[in-house]
Amino acid sequence: MYTLGIETSCDETGIAVYDSQFWENNQSPHLGILGQSLYSQVKMHEEYGGVVPELASRDHVKRILPLIQSCLEESKLSISQIDNIAYTKGPGLAGALLVGSSVAKGLAFALNKKSIGIHHLEGHLLSPLLSERFQETDPKNFFPFLALLVSGGHTQIMMVKAIGDYSILGETLDDAVGEAFDKTAKLLNLPYPGGPEVSKLAQTSTTNRFKLPRPLIHSKNLDFSFAGLKTAVLTQIKQAEKEQIELDASFKADLARAFVEATVDVLQSKVEFAMRQTNCFRLVVAGGVGANIQLREKLSELTGKLPQCEILYPPTHLCTDNGVMIAFAASLRILENKQAFDTSNAFDVLPRWSLEKI
Ligand code: KG4
Ligand code: ZN
């Protein structure tokens, strides 16, 4: 079964073809990725310091068909050989989602195929199953697991019992962790998207000059809060300006380091709390911030305290938004009979959609 995946929820146009036979036959699931194409709009949004929704939708319109074409060429398939057309139905920017949904439904209608709307975060949280780690072991035995979803819009810890069976154990009360990275980057005059820039800058710091708060670290629940941390960064900058301290490269690097250390400390502590509470020691880390090197190092320290814990990441190229995760999540849902195909031709999208309600 060949599934075309279309991702247009934000500022990446991602297309992929996934062949489900590798999952069905218990072979390495990553071998099912037959083709993938991606266009990132980052350069276009850079000058505005963030994603401009209207520009994003227009650009998806421009890119989507040539990307589908090149992905099919790489897959060595014609569109008529595709069985299902999956698209991101939400959450995300309404106009951007509409581009993917209308192309998917239009193609399905014209070619007499089935279309299927996928939750963006389900795509992220299943993508670690495409890791090469499952060359020898069966990914089906990896369930149940905890998932730490850390992206520009979400910070959640979930329990994943099976495909389609997700419950939120805790989430952010205000800013998402990626958002806090991006806002901190702005305060430090770093280019957009700020997450990787803050991370790189932090690595150049040589002194532990600043100590920032670790919000809710002792809260005995799985809630997060990152808005105050960003404010703490601003307070340090204002204080330095008042004292006429030069905001030079080393000042910024030290502040970036303090921000990153506070953030990853909180994430590590909440993951440990979730593992102990649920007695579930398998974790997947998904979403853009999952690419963060300091977070990966900090989480790996957990194996010292909890030797039974196992942490899994998606392949690096699948950490940020992409079409593969949408094609893959759709394939698994179809195989597990977890979702009926679309029954209406309406271009309905769900810009706000809880993962527990799928
Ligand atoms: O999952 P994603 O590609 O898009 C959604 O938000 O759905 O995540 C993007 C977020 C941005 O906030 C970006 O700054 C952050 O992930 N990010 C990172 C890193 N790479 C991407 N944050 C910290 N360190 C990174 N290496
Ligand atoms: Zn995402």
Side-chain angles (χ1 to χ4, degrees):
M1 183 178 74
Y2 297 128
T3 302
L4 179 74
I6 300 177
E7 155 63 35
T8 62
S9 67
C10 190
D11 58 348
E12 256 103 27
T13 322
I15 310 290
V17 173
Y18 192 76
D19 176 356
S20 68
Q21 66 161 316
F22 292 89
W23 182 268
E24 286 169 281
N25 300 338
N26 300 328
Q27 290 165 301
S28 308
H30 71 274
L31 298 177
I33 306 170
L34 300 190
Q36 53 188 311
S37 48
L38 185 73
Y39 181 82
S40 170
Q41 305 175 353
V42 159
K43 279 262 158 293
M44 181 177 75
H45 298 295
E46 200 174 16
E47 65 175 292
Y48 305 98
V51 178
V52 185
E54 181 60 24
L55 293 182
S57 335
R58 291 179 195 202
D59 204 65
H60 286 307
V61 170
K62 206 157 81 187
R63 312 278 172 195
I64 192 163
L65 292 179
L67 284 172
I68 291 176
Q69 192 84 43
S70 71
C71 179
L72 287 169
E73 276 163 24
E74 188 192 342
S75 311
K76 300 193 172 48
L77 291 171
S78 71
I79 187 81
S80 61
Q81 291 170 282
I82 297 289
D83 298 290
N84 317 297
I85 303 177
Y87 60 96
T88 305
K89 185 170 179 169
L93 303 170
L97 290 166
L98 275 169
V99 178
S101 122
S102 48
V103 167
K105 291 204 169 184
L107 282 174
F109 182 73
L111 300 163
N112 206 16
K113 311 277 179 197
K114 292 171 180 161
S115 70
I116 175 169
I118 292 295
H119 195 292
H120 180 82
L121 295 180
E122 183 176 36
H124 274 305
L125 76 85
L126 296 179
S127 61
L129 301 177
L130 290 167
S131 136
E132 292 193 10
R133 174 194 179 286
F134 294 113
Q135 235 147 287
E136 265 103 54
T137 54
D138 186 351
K140 292 174 189 116
N141 296 333
F142 198 74
F143 294 91
F145 57 83
L146 292 167
L148 175 68
L149 278 178
V150 275
S151 72
H154 291 85
T155 303
Q156 295 177 330
I157 295 191
M158 322 237 2
M159 170 58 80
V160 178
K161 292 212 177 103
I163 291 155
D165 185 348
Y166 313 121
S167 43
I168 299 172
L169 305 182
E171 59 189 329
T172 183
L173 305 174
D174 42 55
D175 290 356
V177 63
E179 189 179 356
F181 264 95
D182 294 338
K183 287 177 175 169
T184 297
K186 258 192 187 175
L187 293 173
L188 297 175
N189 286 326
L190 300 172
Y192 170 85
E197 300 290 332
V198 172
S199 170
K200 263 189 269 164
L201 184 62
Q203 288 170 70
T204 66
S205 161
T206 50
T207 55
N208 212 349
R209 176 172 3 172
F210 302 104
K211 184 97 180 133
L212 298 184
R214 270 86 172 133
L216 301 185
I217 199 163
H218 299 301
S219 68
K220 298 266 174 276
N221 60 29
L222 295 171
D223 291 340
F224 299 89
S225 167
F226 292 105
L229 194 49
K230 161 210 73 195
T231 310
V233 171
L234 179 62
T235 307
Q236 292 292 345
I237 293 173
K238 286 201 169 140
Q239 185 66 28
E241 282 169 350
K242 213 161 96 190
E243 291 170 17
Q244 296 186 332
I245 295 171
E246 199 194 339
L247 306 187
D248 59 6
S250 84
F251 175 93
K252 288 184 182 177
D254 294 343
L255 198 46
R257 171 182 173 173
F259 167 80
V260 173
E261 284 181 357
T263 306
V264 300
D265 261 3
V266 171
L267 292 170
Q268 187 216 43
S269 151
K270 296 285 173 173
V271 164
E272 183 182 348
F273 187 78
M275 286 180 168
R276 291 187 190 277
Q277 261 213 328
T278 58
N279 229 12
C280 177
F281 297 95
R282 293 197 182 116
L283 175 80
V284 308
V285 183
V289 186
N292 183 275
I293 184 90
Q294 291 96 336
L295 175 61
R296 290 184 178 213
E297 279 166 10
K298 196 78 199 167
L299 289 178
S300 74
E301 287 173 12
L302 277 177
T303 48
K305 283 195 210 169
L306 302 167
Q308 68 275 53
C309 96
E310 202 180 338
I311 303 174
L312 188 64
Y313 297 89
T316 317
H317 70 287
L318 301 182
C319 279
T320 44
D321 293 349
N322 63 83
V324 174
M325 66 184 195
I326 301 304
F328 181 60
S331 305
L332 300 200
R333 291 190 76 87
I334 296 165
L335 291 174
E336 305 283 321
N337 289 321
K338 285 289 183 216
Q339 184 176 8
F341 292 100
D342 292 340
T343 48
S344 128
N345 288 325
F347 300 154
D348 49 348
V349 293
L350 296 170
R352 288 171 176 272
W353 186 13
S354 165
L355 190 47
E356 285 179 313
K357 299 216 171 91
I358 60 173

